Amino acid sequence: MKYTEVNNFINGKFVQTEKPRFDVISPLDGKVISTVPLCGHSELDEAVTAAKNAFPGWSGQTSKKRSEVLYRYHNILLNHIAEIAASIHDENGKNIGEATAEVEKSIELTEFACSIPQITTGEILKVSDGVVCQTEYTPLGVVASICPFNFPHMVPHWTIPNIIALGNCVILKPSEQVPVTALKIAEMFKEAGLPDGVLNIVHGGKEMVEAICDHPGIKAVSFVGSTEIAKVVYRRATSNLKRCLALGGAKNHLLVFPDADPDMTAADITASFSGTSGQRCMAASVMVAVGNVSHIIEKLCAETRKVRPGLNLGPLISQASREKIIKYIDQSEKNGAKILVDGRLAPVEGAGDKNGFYIGPTIIEYAHPENMPAEEVFGPVFEIVHVRSLDEAIELENNSPYGNAASAFTQSGGLADEVASRASAGMIGVNIGVPVPREPFSFGGWNDSKFGAGDLTGKGGIEFWTQLKKVTKKWKKQEKTNWMS
Ligand code: NAD
């Protein structure tokens, strides 16, 4: 095996367990590269105990002191970009360029957390003579972060740096499909001087997630993954009276107007839907073609044909995912859709291994919008539907159960503003294929793409991972005050 076996990281140490192990399979060639234990209640108990014990010391430090660890961690990340990218590439399959971009995003997220002492200063106001009110962000205690397979390094960095900078202790539960990169997170935080028990990593699947939702020692849970499981986690964690934010799947609509820049639009959409093999919740999923945009579709198909499995397109996460997506394309074709670019039988080129879980980029065009299934595809598949007016386009977008992102491609500011204000999505792009907000702005969708109040990253993350303490003080004994003063 290319990597040593994965173990839980509890109280600053990697801990062996007798639990059954799951093979970690590289999507690049189908080979087993490591194994991961499928743990549950007892291992979680150990992790929560370690985190609880670490909490008084960690939360008792000044936030400036805590951020010193994050500065050191940030430097360690900068010095290990290639090593981390290689492990993301091996276990997730995305190409090295994409994996490197993922680590760079983690670095940006860590930079934001380093600035937390400057932006969580609280407020103070004299509310009457000799009386002041002040607010203070205080940590919640032990919290948990449950992650998906598609960004083994970045999604944990949506949460961990902010969580610990704010004084909490954390239990990370990576996806069992990509647990190797998480080990590097543990090792590098240890090297940065993070005290034992502040960050703990437990491995597993359903049983571990349920244990996290039920554990009385965990105050808040974040989840990133499919909508189906996000609903389960949100219901279960909140029914146990925990704070929960559960981010789900997506099907992002791009409204393309005839005046859009054809070259830029074709290039941006191709990069958006095929990047990371379409396995990202912000990927372009559907073009809502408003009026005649055939000149743009032509260029889009030409751009798409330049994306080739093994050369500049990585594989899907698993054979099961590959088969599911091929079935989706087959079914759409059977139902009368036109396959403008067909990736089902695309050859694997360059250094790509024939046993990898590859599929070529695919464009499906529907004669009638209602023929397009509402479900998320999560692969390098782009769907096109045609409408006659802006109103029809907005109605179609609004009817999607999801609401992560929506974009307008046009040269008209008025049209773009109209789309931005009427789309039912949390993140809007104008001539942008992947409209991810950058720090300090928060990441988070609407509708079935997110359950819970607030957002997970940026300023939203500060609210989610803290509770606000309101202190009212009076020092002037001679002041006559009643209870309202
Ligand atoms: P997933 O829902 O299968 O798994 C996510 C996590 O849930 C993993 O840690 C997994 O171990 C756990 N899990 C799996 N089955 C479970 C069950 N039955 N009960 C309890 N826990 C379970 O998601 P995935 O396949 O790893 O990731 C892809 C999905 O994540 C896509 O739908 C994608 O859109 C979504 N995603 C969303 C965002 C966002 O910001 N909204 C970001 C990244 C990924």
Side-chain angles (χ1 to χ4, degrees), residues 158-159 162 222-224 245 247 443 454-458 460-461 464-465:
W158 277 0
T159 56
N162 287 350
S222 73
F223 171 90
V224 181
L245 200 47
L247 274 52
F443 184 100
D455 284 322
L456 196 51
T457 69
F464 184 71
W465 298 116

Side-chain angles (χ1 to χ4, degrees), residues 146-151 154-155 158 173-177 204-210 223-230 232-233 246-250 279-282 317 376 378 404 427 443-445 449-450 456:
I146 303 167
C147 297
F149 79 80
N150 63 329
F151 284 92
M154 182 193 77
V155 171
W158 277 0
K173 209 297 282 175
S175 163
E176 64 276 37
Q177 297 186 93
K206 182 172 188 281
E207 187 189 336
M208 180 55 86
V209 169
E210 289 175 355
F223 171 90
V224 181
S226 61
T227 291
E228 185 195 348
I229 312 298
V232 171
V233 167
L247 274 52
Q279 298 172 120
R280 55 184 166 183
C281 63
M282 292 296 280
I317 188 67
E376 177 184 41
F378 221 55
N404 231 28
M427 294 171 278
F443 184 100
S449 294
K450 190 194 70 185
L456 196 51

Side-chain angles (χ1 to χ4, degrees), residues 107-257:
I107 291 170
E108 195 177 312
L109 289 154
T110 306
E111 280 162 12
F112 176 74
C114 287
S115 74
I116 275 180
Q118 280 75 43
I119 52 182
T120 52
T121 50
E123 295 173 321
I124 184 160
L125 181 71
K126 180 177 163 186
V127 288
S128 67
D129 193 28
V131 180
V132 292
C133 279
Q134 70 183 66
T135 58
E136 218 177 283
Y137 289 98
T138 59
L140 298 173
V142 179
V143 301
S145 169
I146 303 167
C147 297
F149 79 80
N150 63 329
F151 284 92
H153 200 257
M154 182 193 77
V155 171
H157 284 79
W158 277 0
T159 56
I160 297 172
N162 287 350
I163 287 173
I164 61 180
L166 292 162
N168 302 286
C169 294
V170 59
I171 315 290
L172 171 70
K173 209 297 282 175
S175 163
E176 64 276 37
Q177 297 186 93
V178 293
V180 172
T181 306
L183 298 187
K184 299 201 178 294
I185 300 176
E187 284 163 0
M188 290 179 196
F189 265 117
K190 185 147 177 112
E191 190 185 334
L194 188 71
D196 292 349
V198 176
L199 165 67
N200 304 277
I201 304 181
V202 292
H203 294 284
K206 182 172 188 281
E207 187 189 336
M208 180 55 86
V209 169
E210 289 175 355
I212 289 171
C213 293
D214 294 346
H215 201 292
I218 295 175
K219 299 278 185 200
V221 176
S222 73
F223 171 90
V224 181
S226 61
T227 291
E228 185 195 348
I229 312 298
K231 285 181 183 171
V232 171
V233 167
Y234 186 75
R235 287 200 180 103
R236 193 153 176 157
T238 55
S239 77
N240 283 312
L241 306 179
K242 295 184 199 317
R243 188 180 286 195
C244 182
L245 200 47
L247 274 52
K251 188 151 187 160
N252 303 313
H253 289 58
L254 277 49
L255 280 58
V256 178
F257 296 89

